[in-house]
């Protein structure tokens, strides 16, 4: 009976050597595929920016215009939603500030509401109420600034004790 060819020896290719060659081919194919995808995506991006449009057909240009209009509508819608959210948040903050203002006004001592400003000696105010210039200004103005605006200038001198 003849002897079978030897599987070992110096002419035999071991299995370990063939496997990396296959893996390298697979990796090379993946690399080429990803490289092509990158090139296509880069070209589409340049087209979207309005660059390199010379080779496109009228149909491709119309499709691109449609895609850009759709994208712009999404951008505008998202922007409008964010604006509305910010407006809502600011309205809530405004409500909280108004409530706090009412609370503080109810805690403030009663000031005559005659429609005219109450005159206070600045020396007495400075020595008696050094801690709060806001309370002095509030005491000087009864009502809003629009109600008492008669065009006259009023100054307030604050002094250290």
């Amino acid at each position: 009976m003849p002897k079978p060819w030897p599987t070992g020896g110096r002419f035999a290719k071991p299995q370990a050597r063939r496997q990396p060659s296959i893996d390298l081919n697979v990796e090379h194919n993946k690399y080429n595929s990803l490289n092509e995808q990158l090139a296509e995506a880069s070209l589409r991006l340049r087209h979207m920016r309005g660059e390199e449009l010379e080779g496109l057909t009228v149909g491709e240009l119309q499709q691109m215009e449609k895609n850009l209009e759709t994208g712009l509508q999404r951008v505008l819608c998202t922007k409008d939603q964010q604006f509305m959210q910010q407006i809502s948040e600011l309205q809530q903050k405004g409500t909280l500030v108004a409530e706090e203002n009412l609370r503080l006004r109810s805690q403030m001592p009663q000031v005559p509401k005659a429609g005219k400003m109450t005159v206070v000696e600045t020396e007495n105010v400075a020595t008696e109420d050094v801690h709060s210039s806001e309370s002095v200004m509030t005491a000087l103005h009864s009502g809003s600034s629009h109600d008492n605006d008669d065009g006259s200038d009023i100054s307030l001198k604050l002094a250290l004790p």
Side-chain angles (χ1 to χ4, degrees):
M1 179 169 188
K3 287 188 172 183
W5 289 94
T7 56
R10 63 182 203 181
F11 298 110
K13 293 184 180 178
Q15 285 289 346
R17 284 189 182 172
R18 282 188 253 161
Q19 188 64 27
S21 174
I22 293 172
D23 287 344
L24 286 176
N25 285 337
V26 170
E27 292 298 320
H28 185 67
N29 289 341
K30 284 182 184 179
Y31 172 78
N32 286 338
S33 174
L34 290 173
N35 209 14
E36 288 174 11
Q37 289 177 6
L38 176 62
E40 290 173 13
S42 296
L43 181 61
R44 282 195 310 268
L45 179 60
R46 286 192 301 275
H47 287 165
M48 291 292 188
R49 290 181 177 165
E51 301 169 359
E52 301 180 24
L53 300 175
E54 296 81 25
L56 297 177
T57 65
V58 172
E60 290 171 329
L61 290 170
Q62 287 175 333
Q63 183 62 40
M64 185 183 308
E65 182 181 13
K66 182 180 175 183
N67 291 342
L68 287 170
E69 286 173 351
T70 302
L72 180 60
Q73 288 301 317
R74 288 184 196 140
V75 168
L76 293 173
C77 182
T78 302
K79 184 180 78 172
D80 288 345
Q81 287 174 349
Q82 289 181 359
F83 278 152
M84 295 306 290
Q85 182 180 0
Q86 287 176 353
I87 289 170
S88 175
E89 290 170 0
L90 290 173
Q91 286 174 337
Q92 290 173 356
K93 286 180 182 178
T95 301
L96 292 175
V97 168
E99 290 172 359
E100 179 71 8
N101 193 14
L102 288 174
R103 185 185 67 77
L104 291 173
R105 281 189 184 181
S106 69
Q107 292 177 355
M108 187 178 78
Q110 295 298 324
V111 177
K113 298 186 180 196
K116 292 189 175 184
M117 296 179 134
T118 305
V119 178
V120 178
E121 279 187 39
T122 58
E123 292 81 15
N124 292 342
V125 172
T127 58
E128 293 174 7
D129 190 14
V130 174
H131 299 291
S132 175
S133 64
E134 291 179 19
S135 63
V136 172
M137 292 306 296
T138 305
L140 290 175
H141 296 284
S142 61
S144 70
S145 62
H146 297 297
D147 296 337
N148 296 324
D149 190 12
D150 59 352
S152 64
D153 292 331
I154 296 177
S155 64
L156 174 65
K157 292 183 183 179
L158 297 177
L160 295 175

